[in-house]
Amino acid sequence: MHVLSRSAVLGSFLLLAMNAQSQTSQRQYQLQKSGDAPPVLRLVDAAVRQPAEHEVLVRVHAVSLNRRDVYVMRGQYPGPMPPNLVPLSDGAGEIVATGTKVTRFRKGDRVAAIFFQQWIDGRPPREYMASALGGAIDGMLSQYVTLNENGLVAIPGHLSYEEAATLPCAGVTAWNGLVTRGHTRPGDFVLLQGTGGVSILGLQLAVALGAKPVITSSSDEKLARARKLGAIATINYRTTPDWEKSVREATGGVGVQQVLEVGGKQTLPKSLAALSFGGHVALIGGLSEFGGEIPTYELIGRNATASGLYVGSRADFEALNAFLEKHRIKPMIDKVFEYQDAPAAFAYMDSGALFGKVVIRL
Ligand SMILES: NC(=O)c1ccc[n+]([C@@H]2O[C@H](COP(=O)([O-])OP(=O)(O)OC[C@H]3O[C@@H](n4cnc5c(N)ncnc54)[C@H](OP(=O)(O)O)[C@@H]3O)[C@@H](O)[C@H]2O)c1
């Protein structure tokens, strides 16, 4: 017998209520701030903005969380936070209305939003950074969003809304690091740190690229799961503090050709110690703390590259989607929460218990 959980039943009721609602009003999460206290996540009634000429109205079906969203929630994300910000950059849904001059999409199309709404391709000028969903501007934790048609990509047919919602930040970042900037080749060793969103999609991409992923984690149980996904070597960074030596050993002494550096200040020196000649470190995160020194002399001597990257463009996202479709890759979802349980999803994300991605279904 199939037994529905209490939250699943509540979620179904909520969904029915939402569908019965007109598209002029909705329930939306906002981060509300008063004084110097950290923002508070509140579910409020909000208007649905009808699309202008080049805009579409998207009924959001799933969103996912990134470490950044925890920083935003705590008021620790750089830059001023707009009042009553709708959080989260990552979401996927269905187009339910289009502006009169929209040409890229039609009603009924399945889409995901791009992280920087204005970054389509090429080099991003500074002003594009002010178009980041769920940070500089309102994000996706909302039943409906109204976005410019250029700020969306079609989602691959083999992915559910939940799976597609995991991609805009973590997925595009992993792709940018490994492919756009990293030019990973078959046979390359790829170092992934921890088993969060960027690293686990990075592991899945590395396997499909014919590369050899080496991954670290604080949990042996998570490392066993990573092996099942194709990691050729796994190292517990808690029980093996000198893990960079084990990484080197795993590569036969050569070192890794690629690193998705999400650890930051504490892990960067170890990542560089594990790097091969001609290798590439994608500077991505600061799980230990943002910062760290780049030893130019060593990088020069090894003909190695370190590149700072901030998610990626729509072109990166489209290339990622094509690759996922070709290789039938489904992103790893750890846990799915119902819309009314969004605060619990943030708490779960903050706990570090996750393996892959945390999703909220609407
Ligand atoms: N530059 C960009 O465009 C960009 C894009 C996305 C993310 N980021 C940044 O990249 C980092 C990862 O983001 P995410 O969303 O993938 O995070 P996440 O999903 O929250 O990943 C958290 C996991 O990372 C591991 N971890 C925590 N501290 C660690 C440490 N000191 N060393 C190694 N691993 C550690 C843990 O894995 P185990 O439990 O297995 O130990 C933890 O469960 C964050 O700092 C985020 O802000 C940057």
Side-chain angles (χ1 to χ4, degrees):
M1 192 175 69
H2 187 65
V3 181
L4 284 174
S5 71
R6 191 168 154 267
S7 65
V9 172
L10 274 172
S12 311
F13 277 126
L14 192 71
L15 203 64
L16 282 174
M18 279 164 18
N19 288 340
Q21 262 178 3
S22 87
Q23 289 168 19
T24 56
S25 70
Q26 61 171 323
R27 299 286 283 160
Q28 177 182 77
Y29 280 96
Q30 296 179 356
L31 285 172
Q32 298 188 346
K33 208 166 158 18
S34 89
D36 289 337
V40 178
L41 186 65
R42 293 219 165 85
L43 186 57
V44 299
D45 290 318
V48 172
R49 190 167 67 73
Q50 296 308 307
E53 283 178 345
H54 292 285
E55 289 181 330
V56 300
L57 181 63
V58 179
R59 168 68 176 88
V60 181
H61 286 297
V63 294
S64 85
L65 281 79
N66 294 284
R67 180 71 17 200
R68 162 193 191 252
D69 304 312
V70 175
Y71 304 145
V72 171
M73 172 87 145
R74 289 195 193 130
Q76 292 172 343
Y77 201 64
M81 189 173 102
N84 301 330
L85 178 78
V86 179
L88 304 195
S89 55
D90 291 11
E94 177 190 357
I95 293 184
V96 291
T98 57
T100 51
K101 294 199 174 155
V102 167
T103 56
R104 296 187 69 233
F105 296 106
R106 290 187 196 159
K107 208 170 147 185
D109 282 353
R110 291 168 7 110
V111 291
I114 61 174
F115 185 94
F116 291 110
Q117 283 289 291
Q118 290 180 0
W119 189 6
I120 306 304
D121 202 355
R123 287 196 184 120
R126 176 195 281 260
E127 58 267 25
Y128 287 7
M129 302 295 112
S131 70
L133 292 174
I137 62 172
D138 281 343
M140 299 297 289
L141 193 53
S142 192
Q143 289 172 341
Y144 291 92
V145 293
T146 312
L147 296 172
N148 189 288
E149 61 172 329
N150 288 324
L152 299 162
V153 294
I155 61 181
H158 74 295
L159 297 186
S160 65
Y161 285 119
E162 282 89 353
E163 289 160 345
T166 67
L167 299 173
C169 179
V172 175
T173 301
W175 176 263
N176 195 0
L178 287 178
V179 179
T180 313
R181 301 278 189 94
H183 308 289
T184 300
R185 297 190 209 142
D188 278 0
F189 288 101
V190 175
L191 172 61
L192 293 320
Q193 300 172 341
T195 55
V198 174
S199 299
I200 291 297
L201 196 87
L203 167 57
Q204 293 176 288
L205 293 177
V207 171
L209 287 163
K212 293 179 273 192
V214 177
I215 191 164
T216 66
S217 173
S218 57
S219 152
D220 289 341
E221 184 262 326
K222 290 183 184 181
L223 288 174
R225 292 176 72 185
R227 265 199 188 271
K228 287 193 186 140
L229 286 178
I232 60 123
T234 57
I235 303 152
N236 188 317
Y237 63 82
R238 284 263 161 78
T239 55
T240 313
D242 293 341
W243 51 262
E244 70 280 13
K245 293 182 185 151
S246 307
V247 174
R248 247 186 197 282
E249 274 165 31
T251 66
V254 173
V256 293
Q257 283 78 21
Q258 304 288 339
V259 186
L260 294 188
E261 213 330 303
V262 295
K265 200 167 183 176
Q266 284 172 16
T267 56
L268 181 59
K270 293 172 180 289
S271 297
L272 293 168
L275 194 66
S276 74
F277 273 73
H280 169 244
V281 182
L283 302 171
I284 294 172
L287 287 165
S288 63
E289 191 183 340
F290 281 92
E293 300 286 318
I294 294 290
T296 48
Y297 189 69
E298 264 183 74
L299 286 180
I300 293 165
R302 279 193 255 164
N303 261 298
T305 318
S307 57
L309 60 93
Y310 196 0
V311 191
S313 65
R314 189 179 82 195
D316 288 316
F317 199 167
E318 286 166 340
L320 166 67
N321 281 341
F323 185 84
L324 294 176
E325 189 145 37
K326 181 175 170 201
H327 294 273
R328 312 304 285 179
I329 297 170
K330 285 176 167 272
M332 173 63 59
I333 295 176
D334 179 56
K335 203 163 174 169
V336 181
F337 290 82
E338 301 299 332
Y339 194 45
Q340 73 275 12
D341 298 327
F346 275 83
Y348 184 71
M349 185 80 197
D350 204 12
S351 76
L354 54 87
F355 182 91
K357 294 295 295 182
V358 177
V359 169
I360 300 170
R361 140 169 85 205
L362 289 81

